[in-house]
Amino acid sequence: MSDPADARAPARTTVEFPARDGYRGVATLVLGGVAARFELPVDRVDDLLLGVDSLLMQGVVGEVARVEATASESELTVRVGAFRHGQLDDAAVRRVVARLVDTVQEVPADGGEGSWIELGIRVARRNGA
């Protein structure tokens, strides 16, 4: 029998892929599936995917890109990276991405090499969902 506390725990999906142009679609495919599970409106899914793609086009640190989606009852948070420190200091990048999602922030990466960009979208759950 499953523990009811497990049902309240955030669900996390992580994918790593080569940091080359031809592989950015992997992030789109995975995040589209995660967002669909939470019944996000299509326009919000499109905004999230555009934000992630915009960040990935800037280029990550190293040869592997990582996208991690964590879903709670109230928010879908996507961590993308790792990028050079200060990626969001670029006004053009921040302006584009900030208009697409509810929250955006830079978080130091584990091990100190680069940083992650976290994008958040609030989830409006239906009653009984």
Side-chain angles (χ1 to χ4, degrees):
M1 192 164 198
S2 66
D3 182 353
D6 292 339
R8 293 186 304 266
R12 177 173 292 148
T13 302
T14 303
V15 63
E16 293 181 345
F17 50 93
R20 295 191 296 273
D21 287 343
Y23 291 90
R24 284 197 318 261
V26 171
T28 302
L29 180 65
V30 170
L31 290 176
V34 170
R37 282 185 45 211
F38 292 90
E39 299 179 1
L40 289 176
V42 172
D43 61 329
R44 298 299 288 162
V45 174
D46 287 344
D47 290 346
L48 174 63
L49 298 179
L50 183 57
V52 169
D53 196 48
S54 297
L55 289 171
L56 290 172
M57 286 180 7
Q58 303 301 312
V60 299
V61 173
E63 296 184 20
V64 176
R66 181 176 177 153
V67 175
E68 180 179 284
T70 305
S72 69
E73 288 187 27
S74 61
E75 185 173 49
L76 176 60
T77 303
V78 176
R79 184 179 278 199
V80 183
F83 297 99
R84 64 176 168 73
H85 293 290
Q87 185 73 27
L88 287 177
D89 292 344
D90 181 330
V93 172
R94 180 176 279 282
R95 183 174 48 250
V96 168
V97 175
R99 289 182 179 175
L100 296 170
V101 295
D102 297 321
T103 61
V104 60
Q105 66 180 344
E106 187 169 346
V107 178
D110 299 334
E113 183 177 341
S115 60
W116 300 100
I117 305 297
E118 283 187 355
L119 308 176
I121 292 187
R122 287 187 229 21
V123 177
R125 303 288 282 181
R126 294 182 189 168
N127 289 339

